[in-house]
DNA sequence: CTCTTAAGCTATGGACATTAGCTAAAAAGG
DNA sequence: CCTTTTTAGCTAATGTCCATAGCTTAAGAG
């Protein structure tokens, strides 16, 4: 029984790679064990459960996404930063679909580690939008809109929900431009909550 | 052995109800059978498989969503129609999370029935945006952006990704207003594809 | 009232996750 | 080196769930 020399890190990393190939929901301990050259129960020496493994993938993915956004935004500001960050977000998400999906998981209210990872990633987005001198609830609304825009596009694209014919790249660029336009006039768009009814 | 009198429709409907309660991924034939007062294998008299059941839920959900959007848009146009449709979209999605998730599933390329349901739902959105006199690729970009915006917000809200403190309703209204703003200036926002780099 | 159809059942098997308990490889300590 | 401790990985076993096979009998057709 030669030892393979697994570590928690190696298990989680390989699980993330496997998940990106087959889909987060199709990630199975059986397949992971085989890929690591180990019997299935042996994995429990390094993880708590399948749910625990997914949690680890989620936390790692949030960290990776945060780093990607950080690198894209550093040294930039305003519309420049938004465009750069948006592209980095989309590219990373499409290259790592399962990691991206895992990064969207919201952990329970007592999971400090996960909350920290989530916050760190979102903080990058927040910082960039703050440059538009939005304050308080204005900023929160804008951040929610931006996150929605990015996530919606990437999620639909990853699922193949867009028709195949027309250039998706260009659609994305235009959408981001549109968001910047909206952002520039943000304080004017005060919801009256009746919206034409 | 009294007969319960199941039909395919009843099974699918109850499955949708159950899924909305426990989550689409947690929908199990065992639980569904128990809820219908029947043994698990008996379900196979009405469905092909779990995957087939999910497909049926998906098609039904797409139809329901399409109807909801249609009713919200009828008799309206322009920004009025967009706001009304957006609210209906969000409300339905939040009330039926699993149905909504199922409606996002993209079937294989040979599934005519599913393709028809998808197309019908998206057609409503398309028709409303066409009122802005966008043509060809312009319209496609705008539709993609609109779908992204709606789906992103609803998906994040349903997952609980937004912080709890600030009014989500208002954030949604503002986002839609922002989109309408962007849409009004749509033809001006031509992507140069370098976005400030 | 008979015959046919099919709804629902039991029995069974296979894929996974998970736990319990064993074995031997590695590491620690003299 | 040799001994002791730790622990990575193993086999065995259980429970859940999807799925198939074959039986039984309720319900509908004539």
């Amino acid at each position: 029984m030669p030892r393979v020399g697994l570590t928690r890190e190696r298990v989680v990393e390989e699980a993330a790679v496997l998940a990106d190939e087959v889909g987060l929901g199709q990630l199975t301990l059986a397949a992971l064990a085989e890929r690591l050259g180990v019997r299935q129960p042996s994995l429990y020496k390094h993880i708590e459960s399948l749910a625990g493994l997914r949690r680890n993938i989620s936390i790692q993915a949030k960290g990776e996404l945060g780093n990607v956004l950080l690198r894209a935004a550093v040294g930039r500001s305003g519309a420049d930063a938004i465009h750069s960050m948006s592209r980095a977000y989309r590219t990373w998400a499409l290259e790592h679909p399962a990691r991206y999906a895992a990064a969207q998981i919201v952990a329970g209210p007592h999971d400090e580690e996960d909350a920290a990872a989530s916050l760190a990633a979102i903080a990058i987005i927040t910082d960039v939008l703050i440059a538009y001198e939005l304050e308080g609830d204005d900023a929160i609304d804008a951040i929610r809109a931006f996150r929605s825009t990015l996530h919606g596009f990437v999620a639909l694209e990853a699922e193949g929900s867009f028709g195949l014919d027309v250039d998706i790249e260009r659609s994305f660029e235009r959408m981001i431009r549109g968001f910047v336009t909206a952002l520039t006039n943000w304080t004017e768009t005060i919801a009256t909550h009746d919206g034409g009814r």
Side-chain angles (χ1 to χ4, degrees), chain A:
Chain A
M1 308 87 209
R3 297 209 176 177
V4 181
L6 291 187
T7 63
R8 183 192 199 81
E9 287 71 34
R10 214 167 120 35
V11 171
V12 173
E13 175 55 29
E14 194 66 32
V17 171
L18 178 57
D20 277 332
E21 290 175 19
V22 304
L24 187 60
Q26 281 65 57
L27 173 63
T28 144
L29 292 186
L32 177 58
E34 186 179 13
R35 165 107 52 141
L36 290 168
V38 139
R39 299 290 184 162
Q40 203 212 43
S42 306
L43 293 178
Y44 285 83
K45 294 291 174 180
H46 307 281
I47 61 172
E48 307 73 40
S49 64
L50 178 60
L53 176 61
R54 274 201 271 257
R55 173 179 170 272
N56 285 311
I57 294 175
S58 174
I59 292 174
Q60 177 182 311
K62 284 166 181 173
E64 291 176 15
L65 178 55
N67 282 336
V68 164
L69 296 181
L70 183 61
R71 283 208 307 272
V74 68
R76 300 171 192 269
S77 68
D80 183 20
I82 288 182
H83 274 93
S84 175
M85 208 168 61
S86 299
R87 289 191 196 107
Y89 183 102
R90 172 169 172 259
T91 300
W92 185 81
L94 294 180
E95 283 172 351
H96 305 287
R99 285 164 148 99
Y100 179 73
Q104 303 306 320
I105 298 172
V106 176
H110 299 306
D111 191 333
E112 305 286 347
E113 192 183 355
D114 188 286
S118 294
L119 227 58
I122 295 179
I124 318 291
I125 298 178
T126 304
D127 290 350
V128 166
L129 289 204
I130 293 273
Y132 274 83
E133 302 187 356
L134 300 170
E135 293 182 355
D137 293 356
D138 266 0
I140 290 180
D141 290 340
I143 290 162
R144 285 175 174 172
F146 185 48
R147 288 178 60 201
S148 298
T149 300
L150 289 179
H151 174 58
F153 195 99
V154 162
L156 291 177
E157 181 180 8
E159 286 298 309
S161 296
F162 293 146
L164 301 146
D165 34 0
V166 184
D167 188 5
I168 293 184
E169 200 97 14
R170 200 203 51 191
S171 294
F172 185 71
E173 293 291 336
R174 285 195 83 167
M175 184 182 71
I176 301 304
R177 295 227 162 190
F179 175 75
V180 171
T181 300
L183 197 60
T184 306
N185 307 37
W186 197 249
T187 46
E188 299 167 19
T189 64
I190 300 166
T192 56
H193 225 278
D194 69 353
R197 178 176 292 260

